[in-house]
Each structure stands twice: as structure tokens, then as C-alpha cells.
Amino acid sequence: MSKEKGCVQKYVVKNYFYYYLFKFSAALGEEIFYITFLPFIYWNIDHSVSRRMIIIWSIVMYIGQVSKDILKWPRPLSPPVVKLEMRTDAEYGMPSTHAMAATAISFSFFITTMNQYKYPFELGLMAAFVFSTLVCLSRLYTGMHTVLDVIGGALISAVLLVLLYPMWDSIDHVLLTSPFCPLLSIAVPLLLCYNYPKLDYYSPTRGDTTTILGAGAGATVGFWLNNQYVTPAYVGSNTGFPLVTSTTVVLMLARFFVGLLVILLTRQLMKNVVLRVLCYCYMFPIADLDARRRLEVEVPYKFVTYSSVGFTATVIVPLLHELLGLI
């Protein structure tokens, strides 16, 4: 059943294959996917690939989130549409940031790896297309977007990829070598978060944007530190993806689960610590949801928490992998 403004809208699932397929596909545009897939690439595939994906993801998502709150196009009405999700219903619809993220992540991965690794071009292109298409279709199936929202999101993301592609190597070089990188990586995203477009009512878009920019900022500082002071733990090659053997699979899974546990613990710890500090500074009870939605609380709470997650994923976890002999 679906709830809309206090009402309960009932529905019957007639095809469970499509239902679970598109519910799963929709999750590929959520935090649970970002916090698992992007670190997995960093820990197990290639630093340079993950760097480009994270930077592109951050830029695309910021533009998408801001565009929503500038355009203020409503989501599909329910009824007649049945909505299978409620968390994002408070947000505006155009463009679909799920479509933008899926297009950016899948095609940036494809574009970055096609010249570094040997695999069939058609296979990589098809995988990117299928991934992004499934996520886009899931937004229609779950009733969260119109066709125009999804097409608009995918096209905006594609245009941004085309515009940014010639600058990928230059951006990567600056982020790894500039002495100003750590300062700018923190200051610029914070400035963008504090100057996020204001709405007449609360929307989770500002918090979600802060989460994304915070994670990207922490990861970028980690990239810079690794390049300056640490020998790269995972070095890519242009001969092909890691040879799949039982040993490499075990090591990859071990790195993934150890790293995932550490970043989840980091996220929970920082959430508790930062929130309590802000409660003390601004003198509000921890259960006061309205206070936690205020600009001066939400932005530092989300930014510090997720920049810590990004930094942990790119610096602390690789050091732990090395200490445990997983490299």
C-alpha cells in the first residue's frame, strides 16, 4: 500500500519479478549502493577509476539536486499514480537524480576503464546501458518520476559527462598534486552547502546534497594524502581486470567486508558524536527533529559525518588492509 498525505492507497502486485527487479534497481541509486560500490572499486580495482567516478558523481548530483529546487517541478500525483516510496516524496521531481547518478556512474566507469583494461567494448557499453536503464525504469515503476523527469536527468548527466571528459586528467592531476587541494576540497563544498537554494518548506535535498559533497570532500582529501605520503596500495594496469581465482575472490571479499564494517562504524560513531556536539552548542534536545533540520545544524552534521566516511574509506581502510595482509 502507498501513503499520500495521510491517506492509504492500496495496490496489488501482479508481477513479483518486475516488482522486486525495479525495487532493487531503485536501490542502485540510494546511499546503500554508493557506500558499497564506490569503495569496492577503490579497494579492489583501481584508484584512478574510483577517483574519477567519485568526482563526477559529486558534480552531477550537486547540479541535479540544485536543479530540482530551482525548477520546482512536482512529482507525479498520487492517485492516479501509485507510489512505492515515501522518503523522497517531499522533493521536487525534475530532473531525476537517480537517472543522473546511474548514467554518471555507469558510463564514467565504462569510459575510464575502456582505455585502461582490455575487455570487449560492446560488453562494457551494454553493461553501462543496462544499468542506467534499469535505474531509470525503476523511477517510473515506483511512481516517483514522470518520463520527462527521467529523460531529463539522463540527458543532463550525459551532457555533463561530455563536457567534463576532456578535463578528467587535468582535474585528477590538480586534486593529487596541488598544495591547496585539501583546503579547497573542504571549503568549496561547505560553501555550496551553506548557500543551497532556500525553499518554503523543508526538503531532504539539502541534507542529501551535503551528504554527497561531504563524502566527496573527505575522499578527495584522502586521495591527496595518499599521493603525497603513502605508497598507493592498489595499482591498476592496462592488461585486464584482476585475474579471477579463488584466492583473489577471497581477498577482494575480505577487503570489502572489512572496509564496509569500518566505514559503517565510522558513520555511526560520527553521527552520534557530531549530533551531540551540535545539541550542546545550539542547546536543543537530541530528539528535536525540527532543530536538526535547521541549516546551522543539518549542514555540519551531515558534512562532518560523511566527510569522515569518505576519508576513512580512502585512507584508514587501505592502511588496515595492509596491516591485515589483505593486499
Side-chain angles (χ1 to χ4, degrees):
M1 59 183 63
S2 175
K3 297 182 180 179
E4 181 74 19
K5 295 183 179 180
C7 299
V8 177
Q9 184 181 3
K10 296 182 179 180
Y11 60 85
V12 176
V13 178
K14 295 183 177 180
N15 190 313
Y16 279 96
F17 173 77
Y18 289 139
Y19 178 78
Y20 288 113
L21 172 65
F22 290 123
K23 289 285 282 185
F24 173 77
S25 300
L28 298 179
E30 302 287 351
E31 179 184 347
I32 186 63
F33 174 74
Y34 303 141
I35 209 170
T36 53
F37 179 74
L38 294 176
F40 180 87
I41 300 299
Y42 188 77
W43 298 330
N44 291 302
I45 306 297
D46 193 305
H47 273 179
S48 63
V49 173
S50 63
R51 284 198 306 269
R52 286 164 171 78
M53 291 178 67
I54 290 172
I55 297 305
I56 293 297
W57 168 67
S58 301
I59 294 172
V60 165
M61 288 299 287
Y62 174 76
I63 292 174
Q65 296 285 69
V66 169
S67 298
K68 280 186 178 183
D69 290 338
I70 292 177
L71 294 173
K72 298 182 179 180
W73 287 17
R75 290 183 182 269
L77 292 176
S78 176
V81 171
V82 176
K83 295 185 177 180
L84 306 186
E85 297 178 11
M86 301 313 304
R87 178 189 174 276
T88 58
D89 198 36
E91 300 177 8
Y92 290 108
M94 177 67 174
S96 167
T97 46
H98 273 71
M100 291 184 71
T103 303
I105 287 178
S106 58
F107 282 94
S108 62
F109 180 79
F110 167 62
I111 293 170
T112 307
T113 57
M114 69 179 183
N115 292 325
Q116 289 186 259
Y117 297 96
K118 292 181 180 179
Y119 63 84
F121 175 86
E122 296 79 6
L123 178 63
L125 181 62
M126 180 61 68
F129 178 78
V130 169
F131 178 91
S132 58
T133 300
L134 282 175
V135 175
C136 289
L137 291 177
S138 75
R139 306 315 289 160
L140 302 177
Y141 183 87
T142 55
M144 301 311 297
H145 285 287
T146 65
V147 174
L148 186 59
D149 295 342
V150 170
I151 293 176
L155 286 178
I156 292 171
S157 190
V159 169
L160 289 172
L161 280 173
V162 171
L163 293 176
L164 291 170
Y165 177 71
M167 299 181 285
W168 281 12
D169 290 339
S170 299
I171 293 173
D172 194 46
H173 177 74
V174 169
L175 292 178
L176 291 178
T177 60
S178 172
F180 302 106
C181 173
L183 175 62
L184 293 177
S185 296
I186 299 297
V188 172
L190 264 179
L191 182 65
L192 293 174
C193 293
Y194 274 109
N195 289 278
Y196 192 83
K198 293 180 174 61
L199 297 176
D200 297 330
Y201 66 94
Y202 177 78
S203 169
T205 48
R206 185 183 65 200
D208 291 344
T209 304
T210 306
T211 294
I212 293 165
L213 294 185
T220 302
V221 172
F223 298 150
W224 184 85
L225 281 174
N226 285 336
N227 189 69
Q228 298 295 318
Y229 303 108
V230 182
T231 301
Y234 316 104
V235 180
S237 67
N238 58 4
T239 58
F241 285 106
L243 182 63
V244 179
T245 65
S246 58
T247 302
T248 57
V249 170
V250 169
L251 284 175
M252 291 170 72
L253 290 176
R255 286 195 290 263
F256 173 69
F257 285 112
V258 168
L260 183 61
L261 176 62
V262 172
I263 60 176
L264 290 177
L265 290 174
T266 300
R267 184 180 66 165
Q268 190 60 45
L269 173 65
M270 294 306 297
K271 275 186 173 182
N272 293 332
V273 171
V274 175
L275 184 58
R276 291 184 185 280
V277 170
L278 291 169
C279 288
Y280 176 79
C281 292
Y282 292 102
M283 295 180 292
F284 65 88
I286 198 168
D288 189 343
L289 184 59
D290 289 333
R292 291 166 60 173
R293 289 175 169 177
R294 283 156 36 193
L295 174 69
E296 65 271 22
V297 175
E298 184 177 57
V299 169
Y301 171 53
K302 298 274 189 179
F303 193 88
V304 174
T305 297
Y306 285 91
S307 60
S308 301
V309 169
F311 183 83
T312 298
T314 53
V315 176
I316 306 301
V317 171
L319 292 176
L320 181 60
H321 287 166
E322 187 172 9
L323 181 64
L324 296 175
L326 297 177
I327 298 175

